[in-house]
Amino acid sequence: MESIMLKVGCAKVDITPDFPVYLRGYASRNELSDAIEERLSAGIMLLAQGRSRHLLLTVDSLGIGIRECERIYRDLEKATGYKEMQIYLACSHTHFAPGLDDDCVIRPGGKLKPGIYPAEPEYYPFFIDRLAKGIAEAEESLEAVSLEETAISVPSVLFNRRTIERKSGKVVTNYLYPENPEEYQFQPVDPELTVWRFKKPEGGLKAIVGRFGCHAVTGGMNQYAISADYPGYFQTFIQKEFGCPGYFLLGTAGDVVPLQRNGSSRQDIADILVKSIRLAERTFHKVDEFKLEGTTIQVPVSLRVKCSRKDAGKILAKVLKENGGANFDGDRCLLGVYAVHNVKTYPKDRLELPLRLLRLGGKVLVGMPFEVLTEIGLRLRKSCPNAVLTSITGGYEGYLPLAKDYRLGGYESTLGAQFNCRAGDDFLKAAIAAVKAFG
C-alpha cells in the first residue's frame, strides 16, 4: 500500500504583551512585570496527510488551565474551522510569562494585595488573534516533507529536585543543587531529548521539534521580567543553527530542574540541546510510513483538597486574614487559597481530565494536563517504547505524582497536587492502554 504524503506548514507569532502583567510561576510575586528580557512566542505547526489535519501549538507560557483551553478551542474553531480534536496545545512552562487563567497572590507587602486575581482581560483577545493569524500563515506555507527522528541523551544539565534524605528516607525538595549532595539519594531523571526534523524534497529543513524534560526556571535575577526562558532560546538557536523554525515540547519536568539556574543558564542549556542535535546527525532515521491521527481519552479524577463552594469567599477571606503580616505562613496560605481556587475552577469535586494522543512519525505523543513527575514517563516508555510524554498539554491542573510519592512527602505531592493520590497511577494506566490501542 502506497503511503500518503505528509505535508507541514509552519508559523511563529509574537505573544509578548506591551503592558504590565502578573507573571505566573512564583508564589513570592506580588507586583506586575517591569521589563522584557526575552520575547514570548507561540509556534504553529500544521500537519496534513490526506484529509487528516492536526495543529501542534507550542506556547511560551507556564500553562493554560483546562477551562481556558476549552475557550481557546471554541474561539479557534470559529476563527479557523479547526476543532478541538485537531489541536494539540502544549506549553513550555516558562515561569516568566503572563497567564490566561485566574491566579493567586499570597505574599503580603506588594502593590498586589493577597487574593485571587483574574487574568488581564486585554491579553486573551490579543493571544487568540495572534494564534488565528499564525494558523492562516501555516496553511499558506503547507508543503510536502519527509520525516526523520532520533533520541539523544543529554544528562548533564538537570537533576531531580525530589531528593531523598538518607537519614529520614523522606523527600526533601532541593530547588537548587544541594551543597551536601552526599546526604541525599537522587531520584531518576529522563535525559532524553526526542527530536523530529521535517525535510523539504529539494533539500533543507522545514522545521525541527524537540521534546525535553526540565523546568524552565533559569534566570530569575529579575523575577518581574518577561522571558521565554531556555525553551525560547532553544527555538531561537534552532533557527540560527539550522535555518528553520524550532518548536519546543516539555517532557516530564515536574520534579526536574536545571543544575545551573542563573547567569547565562538560559542560553547555555539551549545551546547544549541544539548542539547535541547537530552532533547526533548520524543517528536520525527516516520514517517512511505512518498514519497521522489523534484522539482524546477522558480520565476520572477527584479533588484532593476541598472546601465549600457556597462559603468559598468567606474561607478565602479567613485564610488571608490568618496569614497576614507577621503571621504569614506560605505553605498554609497556599493550601487554603488553592482549595478556594479549585472550587471556583471546577464545578464538581469529581470530574474528567483529558489525555491526548497524537501520532508523530514512529512515536505517539501522549499529552497530560499536568506537571508530570519523571517516573510516570519512564514507566510509560517501558511499557510502550514508542510513547513520548508531554506535560502541560490540553490543560494545566497542577502536579501529577504517583500514589507512592505522597508517602514520601515533598512539595509536588503535599502542596502542588490538586487531585486524589491515585490520579497519577490512573493517568499512567490509561496512557498505556491508549497507546497500545492506538497501535
Side-chain angles (χ1 to χ4, degrees):
M1 179 176 123
E2 187 177 349
S3 62
I4 303 175
M5 182 178 295
L6 175 68
K7 295 182 179 181
V8 167
C10 298
K12 283 292 183 76
V13 293
D14 191 304
I15 57 170
T16 313
D18 59 1
F19 48 88
V21 291
Y22 183 61
L23 302 178
R24 308 303 206 262
Y26 293 128
S28 59
R29 285 191 180 111
N30 51 23
E31 308 272 355
L32 297 179
S33 62
D34 60 15
I36 298 174
E37 290 185 347
E38 293 90 27
R39 300 192 70 81
L40 309 174
S41 69
I44 297 97
M45 176 176 282
L46 174 59
L47 301 155
Q49 189 186 65
R51 294 183 179 180
S52 179
R53 289 196 170 201
H54 290 268
L55 288 168
L56 177 63
L57 306 182
T58 60
V59 181
D60 288 335
S61 169
L62 182 77
I64 303 172
I66 185 172
R67 302 307 175 206
E68 285 302 307
C69 283
E70 291 169 351
R71 182 185 179 192
I72 290 169
Y73 299 145
R74 291 193 299 268
D75 289 342
L76 285 183
E77 184 175 358
K78 291 177 184 176
T80 68
Y82 290 95
K83 300 181 183 298
E84 175 182 346
M85 292 292 292
Q86 297 173 281
I87 301 173
Y88 194 92
L89 174 58
C91 294
S92 68
H93 200 51
T94 173
H95 285 51
F96 303 90
L100 297 173
D101 313 85
D102 294 352
D103 203 23
C104 312
V105 174
I106 67 165
R107 185 172 292 277
K111 292 180 181 178
L112 297 177
K113 295 181 180 180
I116 297 176
Y117 286 81
E120 290 78 9
E122 61 266 49
Y123 188 64
Y124 180 81
F126 162 79
F127 176 81
I128 286 293
D129 179 69
R130 291 296 173 93
L131 280 186
K133 288 178 179 176
I135 291 171
E137 183 182 335
E139 288 179 326
E140 292 178 1
S141 75
L142 199 65
E143 62 180 318
V145 296
S146 59
L147 175 59
E148 298 178 341
E149 58 190 28
T150 193
I152 310 160
S153 183
V154 189
S156 61
V157 301
L158 43 74
F159 77 101
N160 192 319
R161 71 186 185 189
R162 285 177 58 82
T163 52
I164 299 176
E165 191 177 44
R166 294 189 184 278
K167 287 183 179 179
S168 67
K170 294 290 186 180
V171 161
V172 175
T173 305
N174 275 294
Y175 295 100
L176 300 176
Y177 192 80
E179 295 180 359
N180 49 342
E182 67 282 353
E183 296 181 11
Y184 301 96
Q185 175 186 333
F186 288 82
Q187 298 201 71
V189 298
D190 177 7
E192 183 172 289
L193 169 63
T194 314
V195 186
W196 298 262
R197 65 182 186 186
F198 301 83
K199 302 185 77 171
K200 301 176 182 180
E202 69 276 11
L205 293 175
K206 179 72 174 180
I208 289 177
V209 177
R211 173 266 188 195
F212 190 62
C214 183
H215 248 82
V217 288
T218 59
M221 303 304 288
N222 178 5
Q223 68 167 333
Y224 293 100
I226 291 171
S227 171
D229 210 294
Y230 85 84
Y233 277 107
F234 172 82
Q235 296 172 100
T236 298
F237 291 171
I238 287 288
Q239 183 71 53
K240 290 181 180 179
E241 186 80 14
F242 297 99
C244 69
Y247 299 83
F248 180 85
L249 295 168
L250 184 71
T252 49
D255 50 357
V256 176
V257 293
L259 277 165
Q260 298 289 342
R261 294 181 64 161
N262 291 317
S264 61
S265 296
R266 291 172 178 166
Q267 298 94 320
D268 294 342
I269 293 172
D271 187 54
I272 289 171
L273 295 177
V274 172
K275 290 293 172 45
S276 295
I277 295 174
R278 170 68 76 190
L279 293 172
E281 167 68 31
R282 293 177 180 271
T283 70
F284 279 92
H285 62 275
K286 186 176 181 181
V287 182
D288 291 320
E289 293 187 13
F290 81 97
K291 182 180 180 182
L292 178 64
E293 57 183 335
T295 191
T296 301
I297 309 297
Q298 297 296 331
V299 182
V301 294
S302 62
L303 288 175
R304 180 174 69 91
V305 181
K306 307 178 181 70
C307 75
S308 166
R309 286 175 172 79
K310 180 181 177 181
D311 300 321
K314 294 179 180 178
I315 294 170
L316 177 62
K318 184 173 183 292
V319 168
L320 296 178
K321 182 178 179 180
E322 290 176 349
N323 287 276
N327 296 322
F328 178 72
D329 182 320
D331 288 357
R332 188 174 60 185
C333 192
L334 269 179
L335 277 176
V337 173
Y338 279 165
V340 174
H341 186 263
N342 284 345
V343 299
K344 286 178 172 289
T345 302
Y346 309 110
K348 297 179 180 179
D349 289 346
R350 291 190 59 81
L351 62 149
E352 293 183 334
L353 294 176
L355 171 70
R356 306 187 74 92
L357 274 68
L358 177 65
R359 190 187 305 279
L360 186 59
K363 305 292 186 181
V364 177
L365 292 178
V366 179
M368 296 186 182
F370 302 95
E371 293 186 61
V372 184
L373 269 62
T374 298
E375 192 170 348
I376 293 177
L378 295 178
R379 288 190 185 187
L380 174 61
R381 187 184 300 155
K382 183 176 181 181
S383 296
C384 306
N386 62 328
V388 178
L389 199 157
T390 66
S391 293
I392 315 181
T393 301
Y396 177 35
E397 317 308 311
Y399 286 84
L400 189 66
L402 292 167
K404 70 178 185 63
D405 294 312
Y406 289 80
R407 296 190 295 272
L408 292 172
Y411 168 74
E412 296 82 1
S413 57
T414 58
L415 288 174
Q418 306 305 310
F419 295 94
N420 58 297
C421 65
R422 291 292 309 173
D425 299 81
D426 291 343
F427 257 85
L428 175 59
K429 181 179 178 181
I432 292 171
V435 173
K436 289 183 175 180
F438 216 46

